[in-house]
Amino acid sequence: MTVRQRFVVLHRYVGLVMAGFLIIAGLTGALLVWYYELDALINPQWLQVEPPAAHSEPLSPFGLRDQVDAAYPDANVHWMMLAPPDAHSPVRFFLSPKPGAPALPIDEVFVNPYTGQILGGRLWGDLSQGISNLMPFIYRLHHSLALGTLGTWIFGIIALLWTLDCFVGAWLTFPPPRRRDARHRPRRFWTRWAKAWQIRWRAGGHKRTFDLHRAGGLWPWALLLVFAWSGVALTLYDQVYRPTTGLFLSFQENPLDTVPARANPSPQPPIGWEPGYHAARQHLETLAEERDLTIHALERFAYTPRKNALKLMARTSSDVNERFGETWVYVDATDGAVLGHYLPTGEAAGNTVTTWLTSLHIAAVGGVGYRVLATVLGVAVIVLSVTGILIWWRKRAKPARSQRLELWPWI
């Protein structure tokens, strides 16, 4: 068996292993590009609000947090939005159960920012609660097959196989070098390889299927590789992605890694939510002045009891993600002292590359145009998987002819 034949077999069976998972990833990914729009369409009673007047100002987010905290005595509100993303959206709060309390029936709460009315809530991703959880469930399906940690590992391994198979599949489209007329080999190589980029729409069913698989993988090859490797970053970050990328690029350290965990954490920040926020905001403004950053929005605020730390999440000129900010400042929840910060770009090359990869993966850059492209790519992944299965199936039925076509598709 030649080297090429071995790679054909490798590509075929790795593709078969990946096919079902990539069909799920392609379909769910194409929908998740429009997550917020579809979620609002499904749940208008929660996700569409009307301001009382044209220039109405939202109520204090900390007053709203206290209201939600009082409404759910078995839960802690350790994650909050500081402002709605637009004038017609609610603010969200996430709940976590208190120690010893029963399981929560909901963990995501929607509040009208102008009136303080609690509009409703859901147990995020639990499809048993009905269609209201459809988009969160699709997210869980896309990230972990809705199987938790096990599913995340499975998808991470598939993403790693996909990354490697991108190179194998591309190499298999190259025509082998000819032994005759060596002086003209470069010209003939490009002429022969050009056929791999074409689709014979009027040819028979199998030729058309084969061309769709081959050319359909070549045209968006670079973007497919971005989605495959960023998939590894989103699922196996500590296990595979960072150790591998860290061989070439530097990364920022997580400021909380050096903070000791507390044996008896306080259920609420000792400094208080609002004073803690003002301390974090002051540190963010100092950081922005030192790094010549522009602060565009203060978006979210969270408390980590185990580390006794508060985290202010903002969108600054360091961000490329158009959907939410990834500039973070951490402060001590007792005295407001700064613990550290994280900048998505400009601080360490590894984080800058990762930010771009993951932002491309979730279609959070490039506006609506790129989101449409990402949707089309999701459909393309499905087509590549289905055509790969069809080619394998025909190979089983007619092994000799199928093998000849796969090994020498340019003749």
Side-chain angles (χ1 to χ4, degrees), residues 114-364:
Y114 305 104
T115 66
Q117 177 189 2
I118 296 177
L119 302 173
R122 61 189 174 191
L123 190 61
W124 192 89
D126 185 354
L127 198 58
S128 67
Q129 293 186 345
I131 196 173
S132 62
N133 253 321
L134 179 60
M135 292 311 298
F137 177 77
I138 288 175
Y139 179 93
R140 290 182 57 217
L141 198 60
H142 182 80
H143 185 263
S144 65
L145 296 171
L147 296 176
T149 302
L150 174 61
T152 301
W153 269 94
I154 292 173
F155 256 145
I157 294 170
I158 294 300
L160 186 58
L161 289 174
W162 188 17
T163 300
L164 299 174
D165 195 55
C166 280
F167 294 98
V168 174
W171 183 81
L172 288 175
T173 67
F174 296 164
R178 288 182 173 178
R179 295 182 179 179
R180 297 179 181 179
D181 298 328
R183 292 174 299 174
H184 302 290
R185 188 180 300 167
R187 181 181 64 83
R188 291 189 174 184
F189 172 86
W190 292 110
T191 301
R192 293 158 65 208
W193 191 41
K195 295 180 180 179
W197 297 75
Q198 301 170 6
I199 299 175
R200 294 166 288 183
W201 293 106
R202 297 182 181 180
H206 179 65
K207 291 182 179 180
R208 185 167 55 246
T209 299
F210 186 86
D211 288 352
L212 279 170
H213 186 75
R214 183 179 57 183
L218 277 176
W219 282 103
W221 185 86
L223 202 52
L224 289 172
L225 179 61
V226 165
F227 272 73
W229 187 235
S230 60
V232 177
L234 292 167
T235 52
L236 299 178
Y237 181 84
D238 291 320
Q239 299 82 2
V240 176
Y241 177 82
R242 176 158 176 170
T244 303
T245 308
L247 296 174
F248 310 97
L249 303 174
S250 62
F251 281 83
Q252 300 173 65
E253 296 300 325
N254 186 338
L256 297 189
D257 285 346
T258 58
V259 177
R262 297 207 167 190
N264 299 301
S266 171
Q268 301 295 335
I271 193 175
W273 280 90
E274 199 159 1
Y277 161 75
H278 288 299
R281 180 173 180 172
Q282 181 178 354
H283 291 303
L284 175 63
E285 291 172 349
T286 300
L287 176 67
E289 184 176 353
E290 292 174 350
R291 304 301 174 88
D292 194 25
L293 301 176
T294 301
I295 300 173
H296 297 302
L298 304 172
E299 298 179 338
R300 295 154 288 154
F301 197 48
Y303 172 52
T304 305
R306 189 172 58 88
K307 295 287 188 173
N308 192 47
L310 289 163
K311 176 182 178 181
L312 175 61
M313 294 161 271
R315 183 159 45 87
T316 72
S317 53
S318 177
D319 285 280
V320 299
N321 190 321
E322 298 170 357
R323 195 172 300 165
F324 51 84
E326 297 177 294
T327 300
W328 306 333
V329 169
Y330 300 85
V331 298
D332 188 284
T334 298
D335 57 14
V338 65
L339 297 176
H341 66 268
Y342 172 84
L343 295 178
T345 66
E347 186 84 349
N351 297 103
T352 298
V353 170
T354 304
T355 296
W356 276 102
L357 285 174
T358 54
S359 297
L360 286 167
H361 189 107
I362 65 174

Side-chain angles (χ1 to χ4, degrees), residues 14-88:
V14 168
L16 285 174
V17 169
M18 298 189 301
F21 298 104
L22 291 184
I23 289 172
I24 293 173
L27 177 60
T28 55
L31 293 172
L32 287 175
V33 168
W34 311 98
Y35 178 97
Y36 294 103
E37 292 82 357
L38 292 174
D39 202 23
L41 188 65
I42 295 170
N43 300 297
Q45 73 282 8
W46 295 342
L47 297 170
Q48 296 180 18
V49 301
E50 289 297 328
H55 300 288
S56 295
E57 292 292 328
L59 299 174
S60 164
F62 300 100
L64 297 176
R65 196 214 71 84
D66 292 342
Q67 183 177 328
V68 173
D69 196 45
Y72 298 95
D74 290 334
N76 288 314
V77 185
H78 288 160
W79 190 100
M80 60 181 290
M81 291 179 66
L82 294 170
D86 57 64
H88 297 279

